[in-house]
Amino acid sequence: MVVTKRIDGDNKTLMTSVYDRLRLDIVDGELRPGGKLRFEELKERYGIGLSPLREALTRLASEKLVVLEEHKGFHVAPISRADLLDLLFMRQEVEVLGIRRSIEAGDDAWEAGIVGAIHALGKRDSLTSDGHIDPEWERRHHAFHDSLVAASGSPRLMFLRAQLTDHADRYRRLSHHYQRSGRDHLAEHTAIADAVIARDPIAAERLIRAHLARTVEIILDSDDLQIIAQDK
Amino acid sequence: MVVTKRIDGDNKTLMTSVYDRLRLDIVDGELRPGGKLRFEELKERYGIGLSPLREALTRLASEKLVVLEEHKGFHVAPISRADLLDLLFMRQEVEVLGIRRSIEAGDDAWEAGIVGAIHALGKRDSLTSDGHIDPEWERRHHAFHDSLVAASGSPRLMFLRAQLTDHADRYRRLSHHYQRSGRDHLAEHTAIADAVIARDPIAAERLIRAHLARTVEIILDSDDLQIIAQDK
DNA sequence: GTTTGCTATATTTACGAAAATATATACAAT
DNA sequence: ATTGTATATATTTTCGTAAATATAGCAAAC
């Protein structure tokens, strides 16, 4: 019954909102790998003061999306083949763990979530008419993968997984080649969903490992080495 | 041949050094779980301004050693049975992964590192004469466990492992009971080292899982529920 | 022509004060 | 006595500026 004086209820601090925006701009490739992040530019760009900016960048540095060199400033984290391979390794292990535990502990609601997610995913084409990845498809794609591990029951695993997903998304979006590859997503996803719902951890592990590896192969198997493009 | 004007070469920023000190104070239990971190107190305590303090706390929040509630301030991360069990789960998986990969990829230098580390560890008693854990033993204990996974070759895995180690150290040091338990560390450690050097991943996995679980059992099997002690 | 050393400029880092928000206290009404 | 409302206090968040550090430009020496 209490009526607050504040109308909007926007409780976010400037630090948090500029953190969100910076994170998106980096994951989207808007801010290029290796690029220097100058405070004057960022202040201009986001219309904000120094303090919340520095805090947001500090947080991003701790998540390895940016790099801090003391007294020299912040850079967008560079990308490399070696890093992409390390990322693949971690993603495989984390996804496998999450799926394995979900298979052990998941209830009917968890299964239903997967069925619903893959159904929604199948209703939508991954590419729009002009050949770009459909944002709504991407949203559902994320939702599907989330649904697989939703019963893992480990906050730490889920937190780590979210960070790794950000890193992976950045590589994917930096790869023009990836968007042009005529990959049959639905078949792969359906196979994974089937194995998981059948509670077959062995098959699920094999399929998810291959699924993740395939993405990296597509990115690496191209001369699309935007991957090397790094400002200083 | 260049003589820098600066004598000491201390390149650290205030943010970094206060980050280090805060981290240690939290891991040591000096700043108690759940305790509020007021800026006036911290400024006083560390003799430093607001800006570097906020940045350090932001970084610690991102590592889950402190918690930030917007507009309400920072707290030392609370502890709980559930969190300790989640931590155990992650540590087991991460250690197993690191050891498995090291067994696959490790060279002679890696093996030598383990042999050297366990030798040094055996030379030192875990408890001092007055019944406290010997800091030098603890250093060597860390060094031994590090040596096991030193050949894993995954920056992300090592980074994650370091964070989990901080969390685990905090629980261990908060547990008075743990320090009183007459545990035979050397036998456990030697068995692990033997299995790893024999390149037996199955035995190594079994032993390291039990080793980590044992620590948690000791902490939980006591009324020593300092674990519940949380200021608001 | 390359390197060394100095000066000027650009940039990051840190502080102190102002603004915004939350918490505590006092008072009034039922 | 308890709930609700207004006021005062404490605390966090943010900005603008000063201090510290690094980078770039330029002249002199080898």
Side-chain angles (χ1 to χ4, degrees), chain A residues 63-104:
Chain A
E63 296 169 8
K64 307 293 187 190
L65 281 176
V66 323
V67 172
L68 166 60
E69 266 185 301
E70 315 240 295
H71 294 295
K72 291 197 185 172
F74 293 88
H75 290 250
V76 179
I79 57 180
S80 68
R81 281 194 163 73
D83 181 64
L84 178 54
L85 291 175
D86 188 44
L87 174 58
L88 170 61
F89 157 67
M90 282 296 273
R91 290 235 294 157
Q92 287 180 324
E93 300 300 335
V94 165
E95 290 293 327
V96 164
L97 262 178
I99 289 178
R100 197 183 297 154
R101 276 174 62 107
S102 290
I103 285 179
E104 287 165 11

mmCIF file of all heavy atoms in Angstrom, chain A residues 63-104:
data_model
loop_
_atom_site.group_PDB
_atom_site.id
_atom_site.type_symbol
_atom_site.label_atom_id
_atom_site.label_comp_id
_atom_site.label_asym_id
_atom_site.label_seq_id
_atom_site.Cartn_x
_atom_site.Cartn_y
_atom_site.Cartn_z
ATOM 1 N N GLU A 63 36.013 -9.595 -15.776
ATOM 2 C CA GLU A 63 35.354 -10.640 -16.582
ATOM 3 C C GLU A 63 36.108 -10.933 -17.862
ATOM 4 O O GLU A 63 35.620 -11.674 -18.715
ATOM 5 C CB GLU A 63 33.932 -10.195 -16.928
ATOM 6 C CG GLU A 63 33.040 -10.039 -15.722
ATOM 7 C CD GLU A 63 31.734 -9.356 -16.079
ATOM 8 O OE1 GLU A 63 31.473 -9.151 -17.282
ATOM 9 O OE2 GLU A 63 30.971 -9.020 -15.154
ATOM 10 N N LYS A 64 37.231 -10.286 -18.026
ATOM 11 C CA LYS A 64 38.113 -10.545 -19.168
ATOM 12 C C LYS A 64 37.538 -10.074 -20.500
ATOM 13 O O LYS A 64 37.947 -10.554 -21.556
ATOM 14 C CB LYS A 64 38.471 -12.037 -19.275
ATOM 15 C CG LYS A 64 39.031 -12.651 -17.998
ATOM 16 C CD LYS A 64 40.377 -12.085 -17.658
ATOM 17 C CE LYS A 64 41.009 -12.823 -16.482
ATOM 18 N NZ LYS A 64 42.202 -12.137 -15.996
ATOM 19 N N LEU A 65 36.598 -9.166 -20.458
ATOM 20 C CA LEU A 65 36.145 -8.572 -21.717
ATOM 21 C C LEU A 65 36.972 -7.335 -22.042
ATOM 22 O O LEU A 65 37.028 -6.909 -23.192
ATOM 23 C CB LEU A 65 34.652 -8.211 -21.652
ATOM 24 C CG LEU A 65 33.699 -9.381 -21.848
ATOM 25 C CD1 LEU A 65 32.253 -8.941 -21.668
ATOM 26 C CD2 LEU A 65 33.873 -10.016 -23.234
ATOM 27 N N VAL A 66 37.576 -6.742 -21.038
ATOM 28 C CA VAL A 66 38.543 -5.687 -21.294
ATOM 29 C C VAL A 66 39.797 -5.988 -20.489
ATOM 30 O O VAL A 66 39.800 -6.844 -19.596
ATOM 31 C CB VAL A 66 37.998 -4.265 -20.978
ATOM 32 C CG1 VAL A 66 36.542 -4.127 -21.342
ATOM 33 C CG2 VAL A 66 38.220 -3.902 -19.539
ATOM 34 N N VAL A 67 40.860 -5.298 -20.863
ATOM 35 C CA VAL A 67 42.148 -5.507 -20.213
ATOM 36 C C VAL A 67 42.610 -4.181 -19.635
ATOM 37 O O VAL A 67 42.487 -3.150 -20.288
ATOM 38 C CB VAL A 67 43.183 -6.018 -21.232
ATOM 39 C CG1 VAL A 67 44.568 -6.050 -20.614
ATOM 40 C CG2 VAL A 67 42.787 -7.384 -21.741
ATOM 41 N N LEU A 68 43.097 -4.212 -18.411
ATOM 42 C CA LEU A 68 43.610 -2.998 -17.785
ATOM 43 C C LEU A 68 45.121 -3.085 -17.652
ATOM 44 O O LEU A 68 45.658 -4.028 -17.080
ATOM 45 C CB LEU A 68 42.997 -2.807 -16.393
ATOM 46 C CG LEU A 68 43.675 -1.774 -15.485
ATOM 47 C CD1 LEU A 68 43.654 -0.398 -16.121
ATOM 48 C CD2 LEU A 68 43.016 -1.745 -14.128
ATOM 49 N N GLU A 69 45.803 -2.099 -18.230
ATOM 50 C CA GLU A 69 47.229 -1.971 -17.971
ATOM 51 C C GLU A 69 47.412 -0.733 -17.106
ATOM 52 O O GLU A 69 47.060 0.373 -17.512
ATOM 53 C CB GLU A 69 47.998 -1.798 -19.285
ATOM 54 C CG GLU A 69 48.530 -3.081 -19.867
ATOM 55 C CD GLU A 69 49.376 -2.768 -21.095
ATOM 56 O OE1 GLU A 69 48.841 -2.171 -22.047
ATOM 57 O OE2 GLU A 69 50.571 -3.114 -21.093
ATOM 58 N N GLU A 70 47.977 -0.930 -15.967
ATOM 59 C CA GLU A 70 48.048 0.150 -14.987
ATOM 60 C C GLU A 70 48.757 1.387 -15.543
ATOM 61 O O GLU A 70 49.817 1.285 -16.152
ATOM 62 C CB GLU A 70 48.799 -0.343 -13.753
ATOM 63 C CG GLU A 70 48.366 -1.714 -13.279
ATOM 64 C CD GLU A 70 47.824 -1.694 -11.863
ATOM 65 O OE1 GLU A 70 48.597 -1.407 -10.958
ATOM 66 O OE2 GLU A 70 46.614 -1.963 -11.695
ATOM 67 N N HIS A 71 48.124 2.481 -15.309
ATOM 68 C CA HIS A 71 48.659 3.777 -15.754
ATOM 69 C C HIS A 71 48.667 3.929 -17.265
ATOM 70 O O HIS A 71 49.127 4.946 -17.778
ATOM 71 C CB HIS A 71 50.071 4.021 -15.207
ATOM 72 C CG HIS A 71 50.120 4.163 -13.730
ATOM 73 N ND1 HIS A 71 49.516 5.201 -13.078
ATOM 74 C CD2 HIS A 71 50.664 3.371 -12.785
ATOM 75 C CE1 HIS A 71 49.721 5.044 -11.774
ATOM 76 N NE2 HIS A 71 50.392 3.943 -11.570
ATOM 77 N N LYS A 72 48.210 2.922 -17.969
ATOM 78 C CA LYS A 72 48.167 3.036 -19.428
ATOM 79 C C LYS A 72 46.740 3.008 -19.946
ATOM 80 O O LYS A 72 46.483 3.391 -21.079
ATOM 81 C CB LYS A 72 48.974 1.909 -20.069
ATOM 82 C CG LYS A 72 50.465 2.018 -19.840
ATOM 83 C CD LYS A 72 51.188 1.142 -20.818
ATOM 84 C CE LYS A 72 52.682 1.113 -20.565
ATOM 85 N NZ LYS A 72 53.330 0.086 -21.418
ATOM 86 N N GLY A 73 45.853 2.492 -19.145
ATOM 87 C CA GLY A 73 44.453 2.543 -19.532
ATOM 88 C C GLY A 73 43.837 1.210 -19.890
ATOM 89 O O GLY A 73 44.448 0.153 -19.735
ATOM 90 N N PHE A 74 42.615 1.288 -20.356
ATOM 91 C CA PHE A 74 41.819 0.098 -20.661
ATOM 92 C C PHE A 74 41.788 -0.177 -22.161
ATOM 93 O O PHE A 74 41.744 0.755 -22.970
ATOM 94 C CB PHE A 74 40.383 0.294 -20.168
ATOM 95 C CG PHE A 74 40.243 0.360 -18.678
ATOM 96 C CD1 PHE A 74 40.374 1.561 -18.006
ATOM 97 C CD2 PHE A 74 39.985 -0.791 -17.941
ATOM 98 C CE1 PHE A 74 40.237 1.636 -16.622
ATOM 99 C CE2 PHE A 74 39.849 -0.724 -16.565
ATOM 100 C CZ PHE A 74 39.977 0.489 -15.901
ATOM 101 N N HIS A 75 41.819 -1.456 -22.521
ATOM 102 C CA HIS A 75 41.649 -1.877 -23.901
ATOM 103 C C HIS A 75 40.567 -2.934 -23.970
ATOM 104 O O HIS A 75 40.391 -3.714 -23.026
ATOM 105 C CB HIS A 75 42.947 -2.489 -24.441
ATOM 106 C CG HIS A 75 44.045 -1.500 -24.649
ATOM 107 N ND1 HIS A 75 44.490 -1.128 -25.896
ATOM 108 C CD2 HIS A 75 44.781 -0.790 -23.761
ATOM 109 C CE1 HIS A 75 45.454 -0.233 -25.773
ATOM 110 N NE2 HIS A 75 45.661 -0.012 -24.486
ATOM 111 N N VAL A 76 39.878 -2.988 -25.095
ATOM 112 C CA VAL A 76 39.012 -4.129 -25.334
ATOM 113 C C VAL A 76 39.892 -5.372 -25.407
ATOM 114 O O VAL A 76 40.965 -5.341 -26.008
ATOM 115 C CB VAL A 76 38.238 -3.962 -26.659
ATOM 116 C CG1 VAL A 76 37.360 -5.179 -26.911
ATOM 117 C CG2 VAL A 76 37.409 -2.691 -26.632
ATOM 118 N N ALA A 77 39.462 -6.456 -24.776
ATOM 119 C CA ALA A 77 40.272 -7.672 -24.752
ATOM 120 C C ALA A 77 40.569 -8.117 -26.175
ATOM 121 O O ALA A 77 39.679 -8.143 -27.031
ATOM 122 C CB ALA A 77 39.538 -8.777 -23.993
ATOM 123 N N PRO A 78 41.819 -8.453 -26.472
ATOM 124 C CA PRO A 78 42.174 -8.917 -27.810
ATOM 125 C C PRO A 78 41.611 -10.317 -28.057
ATOM 126 O O PRO A 78 41.227 -11.017 -27.112
ATOM 127 C CB PRO A 78 43.698 -8.944 -27.789
ATOM 128 C CG PRO A 78 44.056 -9.107 -26.351
ATOM 129 C CD PRO A 78 42.970 -8.426 -25.563
ATOM 130 N N ILE A 79 41.557 -10.693 -29.292
ATOM 131 C CA ILE A 79 41.122 -12.050 -29.633
ATOM 132 C C ILE A 79 42.271 -12.772 -30.313
ATOM 133 O O ILE A 79 43.183 -12.147 -30.840
ATOM 134 C CB ILE A 79 39.900 -12.030 -30.568
ATOM 135 C CG1 ILE A 79 40.224 -11.251 -31.828
ATOM 136 C CG2 ILE A 79 38.697 -11.452 -29.861
ATOM 137 C CD1 ILE A 79 39.082 -11.192 -32.803
ATOM 138 N N SER A 80 42.225 -14.077 -30.293
ATOM 139 C CA SER A 80 43.289 -14.874 -30.918
ATOM 140 C C SER A 80 42.798 -16.299 -31.097
ATOM 141 O O SER A 80 41.842 -16.730 -30.452
ATOM 142 C CB SER A 80 44.549 -14.869 -30.053
ATOM 143 O OG SER A 80 44.314 -15.582 -28.849
ATOM 144 N N ARG A 81 43.456 -17.007 -31.983
ATOM 145 C CA ARG A 81 43.145 -18.433 -32.159
ATOM 146 C C ARG A 81 43.305 -19.175 -30.838
ATOM 147 O O ARG A 81 42.447 -19.953 -30.448
ATOM 148 C CB ARG A 81 44.093 -19.051 -33.186
ATOM 149 C CG ARG A 81 43.756 -18.774 -34.602
ATOM 150 C CD ARG A 81 44.555 -19.722 -35.510
ATOM 151 N NE ARG A 81 43.968 -19.758 -36.834
ATOM 152 C CZ ARG A 81 44.055 -18.767 -37.713
ATOM 153 N NH1 ARG A 81 44.691 -17.650 -37.386
ATOM 154 N NH2 ARG A 81 43.479 -18.871 -38.900
ATOM 155 N N ALA A 82 44.424 -18.933 -30.165
ATOM 156 C CA ALA A 82 44.697 -19.654 -28.918
ATOM 157 C C ALA A 82 43.577 -19.403 -27.912
ATOM 158 O O ALA A 82 43.111 -20.333 -27.242
ATOM 159 C CB ALA A 82 46.043 -19.214 -28.339
ATOM 160 N N ASP A 83 43.152 -18.149 -27.828
ATOM 161 C CA ASP A 83 42.096 -17.840 -26.860
ATOM 162 C C ASP A 83 40.788 -18.503 -27.252
ATOM 163 O O ASP A 83 40.050 -19.010 -26.409
ATOM 164 C CB ASP A 83 41.911 -16.322 -26.767
ATOM 165 C CG ASP A 83 40.837 -15.946 -25.764
ATOM 166 O OD1 ASP A 83 41.035 -16.238 -24.569
ATOM 167 O OD2 ASP A 83 39.801 -15.387 -26.173
ATOM 168 N N LEU A 84 40.506 -18.509 -28.544
ATOM 169 C CA LEU A 84 39.256 -19.137 -29.011
ATOM 170 C C LEU A 84 39.259 -20.630 -28.692
ATOM 171 O O LEU A 84 38.240 -21.199 -28.301
ATOM 172 C CB LEU A 84 39.077 -18.892 -30.514
ATOM 173 C CG LEU A 84 37.848 -19.515 -31.166
ATOM 174 C CD1 LEU A 84 36.566 -19.124 -30.450
ATOM 175 C CD2 LEU A 84 37.768 -19.121 -32.636
ATOM 176 N N LEU A 85 40.409 -21.261 -28.844
ATOM 177 C CA LEU A 85 40.499 -22.695 -28.553
ATOM 178 C C LEU A 85 40.357 -22.954 -27.049
ATOM 179 O O LEU A 85 39.718 -23.924 -26.635
ATOM 180 C CB LEU A 85 41.818 -23.251 -29.078
ATOM 181 C CG LEU A 85 41.901 -23.275 -30.612
ATOM 182 C CD1 LEU A 85 43.280 -23.723 -31.077
ATOM 183 C CD2 LEU A 85 40.811 -24.191 -31.194
ATOM 184 N N ASP A 86 40.953 -22.097 -26.253
ATOM 185 C CA ASP A 86 40.800 -22.234 -24.801
ATOM 186 C C ASP A 86 39.340 -22.056 -24.405
ATOM 187 O O ASP A 86 38.807 -22.792 -23.570
ATOM 188 C CB ASP A 86 41.679 -21.197 -24.095
ATOM 189 C CG ASP A 86 41.706 -21.415 -22.584
ATOM 190 O OD1 ASP A 86 41.839 -22.584 -22.164
ATOM 191 O OD2 ASP A 86 41.579 -20.434 -21.840
ATOM 192 N N LEU A 87 38.715 -21.083 -25.033
ATOM 193 C CA LEU A 87 37.297 -20.839 -24.774
ATOM 194 C C LEU A 87 36.461 -22.057 -25.150
ATOM 195 O O LEU A 87 35.571 -22.469 -24.395
ATOM 196 C CB LEU A 87 36.847 -19.605 -25.570
ATOM 197 C CG LEU A 87 35.369 -19.250 -25.560
ATOM 198 C CD1 LEU A 87 34.872 -19.014 -24.150
ATOM 199 C CD2 LEU A 87 35.115 -18.016 -26.427
ATOM 200 N N LEU A 88 36.766 -22.648 -26.282
ATOM 201 C CA LEU A 88 36.037 -23.854 -26.700
ATOM 202 C C LEU A 88 36.190 -24.958 -25.660
ATOM 203 O O LEU A 88 35.202 -25.585 -25.257
ATOM 204 C CB LEU A 88 36.552 -24.347 -28.052
ATOM 205 C CG LEU A 88 36.044 -25.733 -28.478
ATOM 206 C CD1 LEU A 88 34.524 -25.748 -28.613
ATOM 207 C CD2 LEU A 88 36.709 -26.185 -29.777
ATOM 208 N N PHE A 89 37.411 -25.164 -25.234
ATOM 209 C CA PHE A 89 37.658 -26.195 -24.230
ATOM 210 C C PHE A 89 36.802 -25.976 -22.982
ATOM 211 O O PHE A 89 36.092 -26.890 -22.520
ATOM 212 C CB PHE A 89 39.140 -26.203 -23.855
ATOM 213 C CG PHE A 89 39.437 -26.800 -22.517
ATOM 214 C CD1 PHE A 89 39.233 -28.162 -22.280
ATOM 215 C CD2 PHE A 89 39.901 -26.010 -21.467
ATOM 216 C CE1 PHE A 89 39.486 -28.707 -21.027
ATOM 217 C CE2 PHE A 89 40.151 -26.549 -20.221
ATOM 218 C CZ PHE A 89 39.943 -27.903 -20.001
ATOM 219 N N MET A 90 36.822 -24.760 -22.481
ATOM 220 C CA MET A 90 36.060 -24.487 -21.262
ATOM 221 C C MET A 90 34.566 -24.630 -21.495
ATOM 222 O O MET A 90 33.834 -25.154 -20.654
ATOM 223 C CB MET A 90 36.379 -23.084 -20.739
ATOM 224 C CG MET A 90 37.687 -22.998 -20.002
ATOM 225 S SD MET A 90 37.715 -23.989 -18.485
ATOM 226 C CE MET A 90 37.034 -22.823 -17.308
ATOM 227 N N ARG A 91 34.107 -24.155 -22.625
ATOM 228 C CA ARG A 91 32.676 -24.247 -22.906
ATOM 229 C C ARG A 91 32.240 -25.698 -22.987
ATOM 230 O O ARG A 91 31.169 -26.066 -22.479
ATOM 231 C CB ARG A 91 32.358 -23.527 -24.214
ATOM 232 C CG ARG A 91 32.490 -22.017 -24.086
ATOM 233 C CD ARG A 91 31.223 -21.340 -24.513
ATOM 234 N NE ARG A 91 30.952 -21.517 -25.913
ATOM 235 C CZ ARG A 91 29.735 -21.409 -26.446
ATOM 236 N NH1 ARG A 91 28.692 -21.126 -25.692
ATOM 237 N NH2 ARG A 91 29.559 -21.568 -27.728
ATOM 238 N N GLN A 92 33.032 -26.514 -23.630
ATOM 239 C CA GLN A 92 32.670 -27.928 -23.718
ATOM 240 C C GLN A 92 32.545 -28.540 -22.331
ATOM 241 O O GLN A 92 31.556 -29.216 -22.021
ATOM 242 C CB GLN A 92 33.718 -28.687 -24.545
ATOM 243 C CG GLN A 92 33.637 -28.391 -26.041
ATOM 244 C CD GLN A 92 34.676 -29.147 -26.845
ATOM 245 O OE1 GLN A 92 35.795 -29.344 -26.380
ATOM 246 N NE2 GLN A 92 34.320 -29.566 -28.047
ATOM 247 N N GLU A 93 33.527 -28.289 -21.496
ATOM 248 C CA GLU A 93 33.487 -28.899 -20.167
ATOM 249 C C GLU A 93 32.311 -28.382 -19.346
ATOM 250 O O GLU A 93 31.622 -29.146 -18.666
ATOM 251 C CB GLU A 93 34.805 -28.620 -19.432
ATOM 252 C CG GLU A 93 36.045 -29.170 -20.115
ATOM 253 C CD GLU A 93 36.004 -30.680 -20.296
ATOM 254 O OE1 GLU A 93 35.303 -31.352 -19.509
ATOM 255 O OE2 GLU A 93 36.660 -31.190 -21.226
ATOM 256 N N VAL A 94 32.088 -27.078 -19.429
ATOM 257 C CA VAL A 94 31.025 -26.486 -18.622
ATOM 258 C C VAL A 94 29.645 -26.925 -19.102
ATOM 259 O O VAL A 94 28.767 -27.270 -18.298
ATOM 260 C CB VAL A 94 31.148 -24.943 -18.624
ATOM 261 C CG1 VAL A 94 29.876 -24.286 -18.126
ATOM 262 C CG2 VAL A 94 32.340 -24.519 -17.781
ATOM 263 N N GLU A 95 29.451 -26.950 -20.412
ATOM 264 C CA GLU A 95 28.155 -27.387 -20.928
ATOM 265 C C GLU A 95 27.909 -28.853 -20.585
ATOM 266 O O GLU A 95 26.806 -29.233 -20.177
ATOM 267 C CB GLU A 95 28.091 -27.199 -22.451
ATOM 268 C CG GLU A 95 28.032 -25.754 -22.913
ATOM 269 C CD GLU A 95 26.737 -25.054 -22.519
ATOM 270 O OE1 GLU A 95 25.688 -25.718 -22.462
ATOM 271 O OE2 GLU A 95 26.793 -23.834 -22.250
ATOM 272 N N VAL A 96 28.930 -29.661 -20.759
ATOM 273 C CA VAL A 96 28.778 -31.085 -20.448
ATOM 274 C C VAL A 96 28.403 -31.276 -18.981
ATOM 275 O O VAL A 96 27.494 -32.047 -18.647
ATOM 276 C CB VAL A 96 30.076 -31.848 -20.785
ATOM 277 C CG1 VAL A 96 30.094 -33.217 -20.122
ATOM 278 C CG2 VAL A 96 30.234 -31.983 -22.289
ATOM 279 N N LEU A 97 29.090 -30.554 -18.117
ATOM 280 C CA LEU A 97 28.781 -30.642 -16.697
ATOM 281 C C LEU A 97 27.348 -30.226 -16.416
ATOM 282 O O LEU A 97 26.618 -30.904 -15.677
ATOM 283 C CB LEU A 97 29.705 -29.715 -15.911
ATOM 284 C CG LEU A 97 30.919 -30.335 -15.256
ATOM 285 C CD1 LEU A 97 31.735 -29.253 -14.577
ATOM 286 C CD2 LEU A 97 30.466 -31.380 -14.248
ATOM 287 N N GLY A 98 26.966 -29.113 -16.980
ATOM 288 C CA GLY A 98 25.619 -28.598 -16.741
ATOM 289 C C GLY A 98 24.556 -29.557 -17.235
ATOM 290 O O GLY A 98 23.539 -29.789 -16.562
ATOM 291 N N ILE A 99 24.780 -30.129 -18.403
ATOM 292 C CA ILE A 99 23.799 -31.057 -18.955
ATOM 293 C C ILE A 99 23.765 -32.356 -18.144
ATOM 294 O O ILE A 99 22.697 -32.881 -17.836
ATOM 295 C CB ILE A 99 24.106 -31.341 -20.443
ATOM 296 C CG1 ILE A 99 23.781 -30.100 -21.280
ATOM 297 C CG2 ILE A 99 23.332 -32.558 -20.938
ATOM 298 C CD1 ILE A 99 24.090 -30.250 -22.751
ATOM 299 N N ARG A 100 24.946 -32.830 -17.783
ATOM 300 C CA ARG A 100 25.004 -34.079 -17.024
ATOM 301 C C ARG A 100 24.230 -33.948 -15.715
ATOM 302 O O ARG A 100 23.408 -34.797 -15.355
ATOM 303 C CB ARG A 100 26.469 -34.438 -16.751
ATOM 304 C CG ARG A 100 26.673 -35.879 -16.339
ATOM 305 C CD ARG A 100 28.144 -36.132 -16.020
ATOM 306 N NE ARG A 100 29.036 -35.961 -17.158
ATOM 307 C CZ ARG A 100 30.324 -35.635 -17.057
ATOM 308 N NH1 ARG A 100 30.871 -35.419 -15.876
ATOM 309 N NH2 ARG A 100 31.063 -35.525 -18.133
ATOM 310 N N ARG A 101 24.485 -32.864 -15.015
ATOM 311 C CA ARG A 101 23.790 -32.664 -13.743
ATOM 312 C C ARG A 101 22.296 -32.421 -13.927
ATOM 313 O O ARG A 101 21.480 -32.838 -13.108
ATOM 314 C CB ARG A 101 24.418 -31.498 -12.983
ATOM 315 C CG ARG A 101 25.644 -31.932 -12.191
ATOM 316 C CD ARG A 101 26.344 -30.761 -11.576
ATOM 317 N NE ARG A 101 25.521 -30.039 -10.623
ATOM 318 C CZ ARG A 101 25.683 -30.080 -9.298
ATOM 319 N NH1 ARG A 101 26.624 -30.853 -8.780
ATOM 320 N NH2 ARG A 101 24.933 -29.371 -8.503
ATOM 321 N N SER A 102 21.938 -31.752 -15.000
ATOM 322 C CA SER A 102 20.520 -31.528 -15.261
ATOM 323 C C SER A 102 19.809 -32.831 -15.572
ATOM 324 O O SER A 102 18.683 -33.067 -15.140
ATOM 325 C CB SER A 102 20.346 -30.528 -16.413
ATOM 326 O OG SER A 102 20.730 -29.230 -16.010
ATOM 327 N N ILE A 103 20.493 -33.684 -16.321
ATOM 328 C CA ILE A 103 19.909 -34.986 -16.631
ATOM 329 C C ILE A 103 19.669 -35.776 -15.344
ATOM 330 O O ILE A 103 18.659 -36.465 -15.191
ATOM 331 C CB ILE A 103 20.826 -35.781 -17.594
ATOM 332 C CG1 ILE A 103 20.719 -35.194 -19.006
ATOM 333 C CG2 ILE A 103 20.464 -37.265 -17.603
ATOM 334 C CD1 ILE A 103 21.608 -35.880 -20.029
ATOM 335 N N GLU A 104 20.612 -35.645 -14.408
ATOM 336 C CA GLU A 104 20.462 -36.362 -13.139
ATOM 337 C C GLU A 104 19.323 -35.794 -12.295
ATOM 338 O O GLU A 104 18.560 -36.532 -11.688
ATOM 339 C CB GLU A 104 21.767 -36.276 -12.328
ATOM 340 C CG GLU A 104 22.889 -37.145 -12.873
ATOM 341 C CD GLU A 104 24.243 -36.756 -12.259
ATOM 342 O OE1 GLU A 104 24.254 -35.980 -11.285
ATOM 343 O OE2 GLU A 104 25.278 -37.221 -12.781
#
